[in-house]
Amino acid sequence: MSLNPRARRFTILTAAVALGLTGGLSQPVQAAEPSSYIANDTVWRTVDGQEILAQGGNVFKHQGVYYWVGSELTSGQPKAINLYSSTDLENWQFRKAIVKQSGTEGPLSADPADNIWLGRPQLNYNPATNNFVLNFEVNDTSDKRNQLLFATSPTVDGTYTLTSQTPVNVNGNTMGDHSVFVEGNDAYLVYVGDHVNANGSKSINRTVTVRKLNEAWTGVASGAPLFDQWDSGKEAPGIVKANGKYYLFASEKRWWDATATHYRVSDTLAGLASSPAWAKVTHRPTRGGSDDSFGTQFAQIIPVVSSDGGTTSYLFNGDRYSQFFKGDANNAPGGVGRNAWYKLTFEGTAPVVHGWTDVDVDAAAGTITGNRVANGRFDQEAAGVGVPLWDLSGAQGAASTQNTTGDGLRQLLVNDDVAFTSWVDQEVVLPNGRYELSFDYRSSATMNDLFFEVKGHGGQTAKLPLNKNQNAWATKKYTFDVTSGKANIGLWADGQANAWTNLDNVAIWPAG
């Protein structure tokens, strides 16, 4: 992304591309220069400053370029499938809308009364046919469940031609979420299938199924499914091959809401059917940790392969629908941003998602580093709901997230109408080395005591005194060495009745 992560969190995600067919207080003033990392819990923008609109799609690499396709979902507006491109997964350029809803008839009707779905687009390059193949979900005409349309183009940003004007039921029935897994010249449809019961009623999202696509990748091949499990509790399934093993991931069935992610693993693709039962992906940090994939729903694992092919890292692509649903906590996560990407590693064969606030991708080297503080901008949940990934002690009700003025962002507020003490802290896993801590703060004159503490890092505990009458935002920095593989960081606030302190933009980066 072309991000401005420190520019008041107007972070511009320059790693996104979309595809289509045809409290009340001001924030700290910070530098406006673009940054070369992905800033989570922010609104991602292209290099031209336009918001990236790409829900429920996929990222793939072709001839050294990453392409990102996803649905443009704006309330009350016709939907589209947007295409973006990037060479570094951090700076994204809008290419075009490759599919748009238009007219008042058919599976791409833009008539608001039809409320036709246009979602989960999947774009890949078929080396056997030299075509780019797109498939995406639309509604059937009866109960508004999903069917698929397929389209092809000889160029990635060319004109995509539908292989049929009639949507298809890939399993002899409608479906829920789906994705496509590609291995060489073979592609596989991974989806949640509906089921018609003996009495004629329909059970939705009843199975998790994997079926091979035909040679052109424009329909399901004949033969039995590779995987077909009766499971009504999963959505958003997807497969990745990592470290010689096949992983099938899926979210829990919570519709638009954020969920924990689950997985199965096997040495062979067909072996997923007989692999052990679903296990839950570990989300770090675990103290005060996440059980909803850091406010997202699973979309994809993105391999980041070095230019020489010798190093591969992985990004967890998390979908968030909070902007589309205007932050309605009953329907979607309350966090800022439509997408969030996190580093994914493996402990043995178990996948681990690391909820870093900022992720720095070196696409050429195939490596991922970042600011390992979780929810360091306090934007991962709606104001007043809680303070995800931070531990609260003392007068716990004194600490909460607060909306900022007019920009849809949040900050930590420590405040109460009676005298209070409050401790807000987080344990951060850090490889041994030297780091720079930075954060922004301000406070009222009625604070009795206020400091930021760094401890548990293998050295002497550091208490950083903060001004107790700091009405304007101030930035504090501190360099420290880690020899214990971790550090505990936290804010201590002791205030009189109605005293207040704000904290924002907490970051720990390797010290240069």
Side-chain angles (χ1 to χ4, degrees), residues 137 145-148 170 173-178 191-194:
E137 298 168 358
R145 290 295 292 165
N146 297 334
Q147 297 174 303
L148 282 185
V170 298
N173 204 336
T174 53
M175 58 186 282
D177 298 337
H178 85 287
Y191 63 96
V192 177
D194 297 340

Side-chain angles (χ1 to χ4, degrees), residues 197-215:
N197 302 312
N199 62 3
S201 65
K202 182 182 289 188
S203 295
I204 64 173
N205 289 9
R206 198 65 186 89
T207 66
V208 178
T209 306
V210 180
R211 297 183 69 98
K212 188 175 183 180
L213 293 175
N214 61 26
E215 291 184 1

Side-chain angles (χ1 to χ4, degrees), residues 134-177:
L134 173 73
N135 64 66
F136 52 94
E137 298 168 358
V138 294
N139 295 138
D140 69 351
T141 57
S142 58
D143 54 5
K144 299 297 185 183
R145 290 295 292 165
N146 297 334
Q147 297 174 303
L148 282 185
L149 283 173
F150 293 83
T152 64
S153 172
T155 58
V156 68
D157 54 2
T159 299
Y160 281 79
T161 303
L162 290 172
T163 60
S164 171
Q165 297 293 324
T166 303
V168 298
N169 289 332
V170 298
N171 199 34
N173 204 336
T174 53
M175 58 186 282
D177 298 337

Side-chain angles (χ1 to χ4, degrees), residues 299-382:
Q300 177 198 15
I301 304 300
I302 305 170
V304 184
V305 183
S306 64
S307 300
D308 62 8
T311 303
T312 301
S313 296
Y314 299 91
L315 281 174
F316 175 94
N317 176 354
D319 226 337
R320 183 180 287 164
Y321 294 89
S322 50
Q323 268 58 55
F324 179 52
F325 276 101
K326 309 300 183 187
D328 182 350
N330 293 319
N331 290 306
V336 176
R338 296 175 185 258
N339 310 84
W341 292 356
Y342 299 105
K343 183 174 182 177
L344 182 137
T345 61
F346 296 90
E347 294 182 357
T349 61
V352 180
V353 181
H354 303 269
W356 300 351
T357 299
D358 304 295
V359 177
D360 190 0
V361 180
D362 187 334
T367 58
I368 300 172
T369 56
N371 164 25
R372 294 169 180 250
V373 176
N375 194 24
R377 277 182 281 273
F378 303 99
D379 287 313
Q380 201 169 106
E381 185 51 270

